[in-house]
Amino acid sequence: MTTELFEHLDRLRNAEGKVALATLVNTRGTTPRKEGAKMLVGEGGRVLGSVTIGGCVDAQVIEESASVISAHKPRLLQLDLGDEEAWEIGLTCGGTIEVFVEPVDLEKPDDATLALYERLKAHAEAGGRGAILTRLEGARDGAKMIAFDAASTRGRWAMPPSMPRP
């Protein structure tokens, strides 16, 4: 993960109360971005980053982000764009992408997802590396764990307290 996400979170913290964090988690076929691409969508409409190259696919993610923020519940989206449709709207690629969209409350320092990103940011600023792992399916979708380069972990596959329980 690059520091770009941390910078985007810091920028939105002063402008938005709640955001949806969209992460491109799977691609099939030809797609313009690789897994891991991220986009933040603020409840006030600000958008930083993208999961594709803009256009109709990012617009669908932005639209879904509003319901993720209001329900405060993550959602895994599958967006299909066949090759023929892609050419019709001017894209040079087609395929299927899956995007995990999750709520983050920037006004609550105890938001579990935000706390994990803050912890990872501090570790990265100290010269370390790490990753946040997110369960995408099942009864505990959205559950997170953080893994650090020193072979240590924080958390377990538990639902963050800020997320509604199934």
Side-chain angles (χ1 to χ4, degrees), residues 1 5 21 23 25 36 38 74 100 102 112-117 119-120 129-137 140-149 151-160 163:
M1 174 187 305
L5 176 62
L21 172 58
T23 304
V25 296
K38 295 191 182 304
F100 188 71
E102 60 188 314
T113 300
L114 181 60
L116 285 175
Y117 279 100
R119 177 134 180 133
L120 183 57
R129 297 175 139 218
I132 294 176
L133 311 171
T134 305
R135 176 174 258 156
L136 298 180
E137 296 179 0
R140 296 200 168 275
D141 64 337
K144 296 188 175 318
M145 181 183 348
I146 189 168
F148 297 107
D149 52 351
S152 65
T153 60
R154 286 273 183 226
R156 51 184 167 30
W157 288 118
M159 186 67 77
M163 299 230 176

Side-chain angles (χ1 to χ4, degrees), residues 22-28 31 33-37 51-52 57 61 75-81 95-101 136-137:
T23 304
L24 180 59
V25 296
N26 189 24
T27 63
R28 290 183 298 281
T31 57
R33 304 278 312 263
K34 301 291 182 210
E35 288 92 349
V51 292
T52 63
V57 176
V61 174
R75 182 176 297 155
L76 182 62
L77 308 174
Q78 179 172 311
L79 304 167
D80 296 307
L81 185 59
T96 301
I97 64 170
E98 289 180 310
V99 179
F100 188 71
V101 185
L136 298 180
E137 296 179 0

Side-chain angles (χ1 to χ4, degrees), residues 27-59:
T27 63
R28 290 183 298 281
T30 56
T31 57
R33 304 278 312 263
K34 301 291 182 210
E35 288 92 349
K38 295 191 182 304
M39 176 170 63
L40 284 163
V41 180
E43 67 182 336
R46 288 178 178 80
V47 178
L48 295 173
S50 72
V51 292
T52 63
I53 56 172
C56 61
V57 176
D58 275 352

Side-chain angles (χ1 to χ4, degrees), residues 59-125:
Q60 286 179 298
V61 174
I62 292 167
E63 185 178 315
E64 291 292 333
S65 293
S67 65
V68 166
I69 291 170
S70 67
H72 202 74
K73 183 174 167 90
R75 182 176 297 155
L76 182 62
L77 308 174
Q78 179 172 311
L79 304 167
D80 296 307
L81 185 59
D83 290 332
E84 189 173 305
E85 292 171 302
W87 282 105
E88 286 176 11
I89 62 171
L91 298 176
T92 58
C93 60
T96 301
I97 64 170
E98 289 180 310
V99 179
F100 188 71
V101 185
E102 60 188 314
V104 180
D105 192 335
L106 299 175
E107 294 177 327
K108 291 186 176 180
D110 64 340
D111 179 275
T113 300
L114 181 60
L116 285 175
Y117 279 100
E118 292 293 334
R119 177 134 180 133
L120 183 57
K121 177 184 175 186
H123 186 71
E125 287 173 344

